[in-house]
Amino acid sequence: MTPSVLTLEQETNPWLAAEARFDEAATKLNLDDGLCKVLRSPTKEITVHIPVMLDDGRLEVFTGYRVQHSLARGPGKGGIRFSPDVTLDEVRALASWMTWKCAVVNIPFGGAKGGVICDPRVLSDGELERITRRYTAEIIEFLGPERDVPAPDLNTNDRVMAWIMDTYSMHVRHTQTAVVTGKPLDLGGSRGRPEATGRGCTIVTLKALKKLGIAPSDARVVIQGFGNVGGMAGKLMARAGFKITCIIESDVAVYNPKGLDINALLEHRKETGSIGDFPGAENRDRHEAMFLDCEVLLPAATENAVTSANADRVRCKILCEGANGPVTPAADEILMDKKVFVIPDILANAGGVTVSYFEWVQDRQGLFWSESEVNSKLEEIMVASFDSVVDYAEKHGVNNHTAAYMLALDRVAFAIKLRGIYA
Ligand code: GLU
């Protein structure tokens, strides 16, 4: 299906978006039909319905998924999200994006993703722990340091990873830290992992600014989402001299043309529960704030922030995709016409999984690195990956998104060809 004939509902279906991007890159690469079929379909899709006892004594059943898209280049890798909006199509798309993401930064993993349909805002800590443990137990035979290695994603964190690590370890009868990444530091976590996605976004945005000849001090930044990715990127970008003029959250946006004090804003949210009414800043409508004039727009929340319905209103020079799938393929075409320099998600937010890879390596070696070692290795990978995507785009006359996909597909297809098909 070409993006232009899709309805908005189809355009914002993540799996259809993933297929559209895949098809475009595969066609441009002239990929063999059989290989296309292999790469297009997820290897394994697991659905579980898990009974969990709630605090009030009621028994509830939650639905969870784990999709392993490709294991061609290594164990499955990818986060687990907890959200009422999780669907199998979404998890499927996110799993395939992990395959391409790991290939773009050239780390030895395949792609996977998990999700549980639940609303963590209304669940107690005990309920969340029981959901996590039972979900882990139901998919346990598909997990393992050599099989599939989960990590945090939307609404999951180091504490959830610790429960997964413990549940897995209880089942295999020995402590196995490398089964999951994004763990607390004291349980085999890596230094620099919590900042890694935001740090990666900052590194590639600095590269893009340099390419466009814009000084960081002249860069006004609008960030959508103030969680792990947006919050960290905001802090690090401010430290690098960028002016963070607007932060958008799900209730309100705050704006200060002179630049917001990110640390103070994080503190303000901790105290008041919202970024709204931040001293010295104006409250803005959260939908309109996305279209403020800026050098850098960083959508770091969920999918479909920019679609064909609003892409022509975007007023940035660089769009750094901090979230997974924040721009639909149809919107991409509009942004290209507007000459926006897009840093595609599978490159822009790959800092997280890159440091997850470092965590997995450290756990398996039992030898831990300093934060500066982690950060410099991350920088090396992000810079090299940015250069290869941008060079590829220029050489083949395609946009950065297509270039990143082509590069990734080529690497995964090559691995499959080298391995051959087991029969
Ligand atoms: N959830 C993150 C992502 O979408 C990190 C995945 C990982 O570290 O395995 O890239």
Side-chain angles (χ1 to χ4, degrees):
M1 256 188 281
T2 57
S4 52
V5 299
L6 297 178
T7 62
L8 192 61
E9 198 186 329
Q10 288 167 326
E11 182 189 328
T12 53
N13 175 311
W15 180 239
L16 292 180
E19 282 188 324
R21 291 204 186 281
F22 174 88
D23 288 345
E24 194 192 353
T27 308
K28 289 219 154 78
L29 279 173
N30 227 339
L31 209 65
D32 168 86
D33 270 359
L35 265 178
C36 260
K37 281 188 199 156
V38 176
L39 288 171
R40 219 169 186 270
S41 5
T43 297
K44 204 169 264 143
E45 302 183 348
I46 309 144
T47 300
V48 294
H49 301 289
I50 48 172
V52 174
M53 193 63 83
L54 300 180
D55 290 348
D56 63 7
R58 273 184 306 128
L59 189 58
E60 191 55 86
V61 174
F62 295 88
T63 299
Y65 308 102
R66 183 76 184 168
V67 174
Q68 295 172 343
H69 173 262
S70 168
L71 307 177
R73 285 169 45 93
K77 189 81 195 82
I80 292 173
R81 57 175 57 186
F82 287 172
S83 157
D85 306 321
V86 167
T87 64
L88 182 54
D89 264 353
E90 183 195 36
V91 178
R92 209 179 255 152
L94 288 159
S96 73
W97 291 335
M98 287 309 304
T99 302
W100 315 131
K101 195 185 296 187
C102 292
V104 164
V105 287
N106 217 350
I107 57 176
F109 285 127
K113 202 82 174 198
V116 179
I117 306 173
C118 66
D119 187 353
R121 286 169 310 181
V122 301
L123 294 163
S124 70
D125 284 358
E127 289 165 340
L128 268 182
E129 178 173 352
R130 291 194 289 280
I131 290 173
T132 305
R133 287 187 183 277
R134 186 63 190 250
Y135 166 74
T136 307
E138 290 299 331
I139 61 170
I140 208 134
E141 60 268 45
F142 304 105
L143 301 182
E146 264 111 22
R147 289 185 181 166
D148 185 354
V149 185
D153 199 76
L154 199 67
N155 298 327
T156 56
N157 55 18
D158 57 344
R159 200 173 49 148
V160 174
M161 297 308 116
W163 292 329
I164 296 177
M165 189 281 265
D166 182 69
T167 306
Y168 182 85
S169 297
M170 289 298 115
H171 279 253
V172 298
R173 313 302 297 158
H174 64 97
T175 295
Q176 181 51 272
T177 54
V179 64
V180 71
T181 59
K183 299 179 295 294
L185 212 52
D186 294 315
L187 287 178
S190 174
R191 291 194 167 76
R193 177 64 185 85
E195 299 85 10
T197 312
R199 186 175 293 279
C201 290
T202 308
I203 295 168
V204 291
T205 303
L206 274 166
K207 289 280 295 176
L209 284 171
K210 191 157 179 214
K211 193 163 172 58
L212 269 53
I214 305 169
S217 53
D218 292 332
R220 292 163 301 165
V221 184
V222 173
I223 303 180
Q224 184 206 36
F226 205 38
N228 177 42
V229 182
M232 286 299 179
K235 265 196 204 183
L236 295 167
M237 286 182 176
R239 210 180 287 163
F242 299 46
K243 218 179 284 164
I244 317 296
T245 51
C246 184
I247 298 281
I248 310 169
E249 278 244 272
S250 53
D251 54 343
V252 70
V254 285
Y255 174 70
N256 181 346
K258 294 201 186 85
L260 296 156
D261 178 339
I262 298 300
N263 288 322
L265 184 59
L266 284 165
E267 211 38 55
H268 170 80
R269 186 182 56 184
K270 209 192 262 172
E271 278 162 22
T272 66
S274 165
I275 57 168
D277 301 326
F278 180 52
E282 289 166 39
N283 284 353
R284 286 288 179 106
D285 176 84
R286 70 184 176 97
H287 298 291
E288 288 303 310
M290 277 254 305
F291 312 117
L292 282 165
D293 198 14
C294 60
E295 277 63 48
V296 179
L297 175 62
L298 177 79
T302 50
E303 298 99 76
N304 303 321
V306 183
T307 68
S308 60
N310 65 11
D312 59 338
R313 297 189 60 205
V314 166
R315 287 194 290 157
C316 62
K317 297 196 170 63
I318 295 166
L319 192 149
C320 176
E321 298 189 357
N324 290 310
V327 177
T328 65
D332 235 12
E333 288 177 16
I334 300 167
L335 295 178
M336 204 161 85
D337 290 343
K338 286 168 67 97
K339 308 248 175 316
V340 174
F341 187 94
V342 176
I343 313 176
D345 50 0
I346 56 173
L347 167 67
N349 69 36
V353 74
T354 301
V355 177
S356 275
Y357 164 53
F358 298 161
E359 180 173 332
W360 179 80
V361 169
Q362 292 170 81
D363 286 341
R364 287 159 64 96
Q365 287 184 333
L367 183 67
F368 290 85
W369 311 344
S370 68
E371 184 153 356
S372 64
E373 195 172 352
V374 169
N375 290 346
S376 75
K377 283 190 160 78
L378 171 64
E379 172 141 21
E380 211 176 289
I381 290 185
M382 294 307 295
V383 165
S385 307
F386 178 93
D387 287 341
S388 37
V389 168
V390 173
D391 289 352
Y392 198 100
E394 283 167 4
K395 196 160 145 211
H396 295 266
V398 294
N399 67 32
N400 291 340
H401 236 299
T402 308
Y405 261 70
M406 289 172 75
L407 203 71
L409 254 70
D410 206 25
R411 286 185 181 153
V412 182
F414 188 60
I416 293 175
K417 275 193 227 155
L418 280 177
R419 289 178 66 152
I421 302 297
Y422 175 76

